[in-house]
Amino acid sequence: MAGDEASGEGCIAAVFTSARTSAQWLGFGRELLGEYDSESLRFLQGFRAFLGTVATFALIWTYGVDGGWSSVLEDGLTKLFMAPLVLIVAGPLVITGFILYAPKETRPGLRGQLRFPLMTVGAYLGIPLVILSVTAGVWWLIFNYIFAWKFGLIVGPLLSLLLSFWLVGGLIWLAVFLFFASGVVARTAFNTGIVHPMLPAVFTTLVVWTLNVVSLGDGLPNGPLYVKIAAFLGGPLSVTALSAWELYVLRTRHGVRIRGISAA
């Protein structure tokens, strides 16, 4: 019995681990941009996230929230999955602007690097599409043919049950993958930093402000007016400040410019 429980836990752990590993692979651009990584900036980003979380919980604890804690979780998950969609929609416009702004002699090189963001978008959208398509197709076969297969009396139902078990496991894997992958592609801006190291900072700012404007549809947080304004503007302004600092570090320490990369 204990062996069966350990085996079950091992299967669940394997599903989560493989899904998380696959999602982390989508951030391969971080390795390619390691020379531009700033430890101080990463610390500030982590500190901002920690401070923002504490401030959010303090605000909810003091003034409450409509819909309870489940509403907070739902809002957080919605923004997590919306961020990549905003990037996909806004990405072509921002990248086109960057390329047009760059000197003519550097534009072919920038366009040549577009394959990396396209690969990331393709993987982020393609993996769920393939899994969902295969799942729908196999379940169609189960309901229309396999379950009704009476060879050996119970072969059809047993095979249907076995296939359904694996299909449910695949959907669980996909849910875990999307959860982690959405965070990865939002942070790396679909590896657009390979096209230009400054693009992720610009994208991050754009996504945060867009999501904040979209969240206005649910109304401002509870509390006095000044608290509502601070809660609404605090996140986007802090992200904008960090992005500005990142652009400053890239420019002063690494010689990166919007119109190209020059020696520091």
Side-chain angles (χ1 to χ4, degrees):
M1 191 70 175
D4 293 339
E5 291 180 0
S7 176
E9 292 177 358
C11 291
I12 294 175
V15 169
F16 275 77
T17 301
S18 62
R20 187 173 185 273
T21 301
S22 300
Q24 292 297 330
W25 174 82
L26 293 179
F28 63 85
R30 283 187 168 184
E31 298 179 2
L32 298 178
L33 294 172
E35 62 178 302
Y36 302 115
D37 189 53
S38 171
E39 185 176 346
S40 60
L41 183 63
R42 301 298 168 248
F43 170 79
L44 286 175
Q45 289 176 335
F47 180 73
R48 193 210 70 82
F50 170 77
L51 194 62
T53 302
V54 172
T56 299
F57 276 87
L59 180 65
I60 295 172
W61 183 271
T62 304
Y63 299 107
V65 61
D66 297 332
W69 289 101
S70 60
S71 176
V72 177
L73 177 61
E74 181 182 349
D75 181 64
L77 291 175
T78 299
K79 288 183 178 179
L80 175 66
F81 288 105
M82 279 188 61
L85 297 180
V86 173
L87 284 170
I88 291 174
V89 173
L93 298 176
V94 178
I95 291 177
T96 300
F98 258 83
I99 293 177
L100 292 178
Y101 184 69
K104 288 185 178 180
E105 60 272 16
T106 64
R107 292 175 187 174
L110 294 176
R111 287 194 294 267
Q113 301 301 319
L114 288 177
R115 66 183 184 276
F116 294 106
L118 290 175
M119 286 169 50
T120 310
V121 173
Y124 180 76
L125 297 179
I127 291 175
L129 181 61
V130 169
I131 292 177
L132 292 176
S133 298
V134 170
T135 300
V138 174
W139 255 322
W140 182 84
L141 290 175
I142 289 174
F143 292 138
N144 290 277
Y145 296 100
I146 298 176
F147 187 80
W149 187 29
K150 297 301 182 181
F151 179 76
L153 298 181
I154 61 172
V155 172
L158 283 178
L159 184 57
S160 299
L161 182 62
L162 179 62
L163 289 174
S164 296
F165 172 79
W166 284 105
L167 291 177
V168 171
L171 292 177
I172 293 174
W173 185 94
L174 178 60
V176 177
F177 168 80
L178 285 175
F179 176 80
F180 287 108
S182 296
V184 171
V185 297
R187 289 193 300 271
T188 63
F190 286 99
N191 291 311
T192 51
I194 301 176
V195 179
H196 195 287
M198 288 184 167
L199 269 175
V202 175
F203 270 131
T204 300
T205 303
L206 172 67
V207 169
V208 169
W209 279 104
T210 302
L211 290 177
N212 227 43
V213 171
V214 171
S215 68
L216 276 177
D218 298 326
L220 292 173
N222 294 333
L225 179 60
Y226 68 89
V227 171
K228 293 181 178 181
I229 295 175
F232 176 72
L233 296 178
L237 287 177
S238 60
V239 170
T240 302
L242 282 175
S243 297
W245 172 254
E246 183 173 356
L247 296 178
Y248 172 79
V249 170
L250 288 171
R251 185 176 67 252
T252 57
R253 295 186 184 179
H254 303 285
V256 179
R257 300 291 188 272
I258 293 292
R259 293 179 60 83
I261 304 176
S262 59

